[in-house]
Amino acid sequence: RFSTGALTESIGVTDMMLDEIMKAAGIEVYGVADYKDTLPGTGFKQREIFDGMESVIVCLIPWDTGMNEGRNMARFAVGEDYHTVGARHLALATEVLKRAFPDETFKFFIDSSPIAEVRAAVLAGLGVRGINNQLISKEYGTRCAIGEIVSSKHFAKSKKSVGTCFQCMRCVNECP
């Protein structure tokens, strides 16, 4: 919805706080974890461990469009691919962060990063790890992807969310 230029011109980027940057980029739910606490991940990008990184801005990308009623199809497969949607928002936030902090490094990932994504999301206070090993967030349940912006800039860690998985088995029983 925003072009990077319009966003940085319309909002004084040097005066922007992280919350304003994320919200302006369309990312409503995010938190911050220490980079070192999120390693190692398990994906094919595990080799992409970066030196000098301090923080991970962990973002939740909802993918339930509600457009699959009456269809025999997974909810995440209906509508635009959440990787594409998430990448647009994360790219915009990353570009604004680079302009706001030109001496720092920022790199984004969506659903495939060198860090342990669910652990990072829990550390960033975004939810709990369910017995199904998926993140369960208050806002989206398990219907979200996890995106990250890895940064050399130190941002204050988010407070951990209060809560835990009570092992009710609902996530397992309702999973097709």
Side-chain angles (χ1 to χ4, degrees), residues 21-70:
I21 292 171
M22 302 310 285
K23 297 275 191 273
I27 299 170
E28 296 180 16
V29 180
Y30 77 95
V32 177
D34 281 343
Y35 179 70
K36 66 181 175 0
D37 295 339
T38 66
L39 299 174
T42 58
F44 68 93
K45 293 194 174 218
Q46 187 175 5
R47 295 181 303 269
E48 291 187 26
I49 305 300
F50 306 106
D51 292 331
M53 295 297 118
E54 292 287 329
S55 298
V56 178
I57 304 166
V58 187
C59 309
L60 298 187
I61 311 297
W63 50 253
D64 188 355
T65 63
M67 299 184 328
N68 71 320
E69 300 309 317

Side-chain angles (χ1 to χ4, degrees), residues 137-156:
S137 79
K138 179 179 75 174
E139 295 82 4
Y140 308 123
T142 58
R143 295 178 177 159
C144 60
I146 302 171
E148 306 85 25
I149 301 173
V150 177
S151 172
S152 62
K153 177 158 180 52
H154 175 75
F155 291 101

Side-chain angles (χ1 to χ4, degrees), residues 74-119:
R75 289 178 187 259
F76 71 85
V78 178
E80 191 174 3
D81 185 334
Y82 68 86
H83 295 94
T84 305
V85 173
R88 265 199 311 267
H89 292 282
L90 290 166
L92 179 56
T94 299
E95 184 59 33
V96 175
L97 286 163
K98 286 177 179 178
R99 290 181 184 204
F101 307 102
D103 295 334
E104 303 291 349
T105 301
F106 297 92
K107 181 168 175 136
F108 77 87
F109 299 92
I110 175 85
D111 203 22
S112 62
S113 78
I115 67 169
E117 292 180 318
V118 174
R119 181 173 58 219

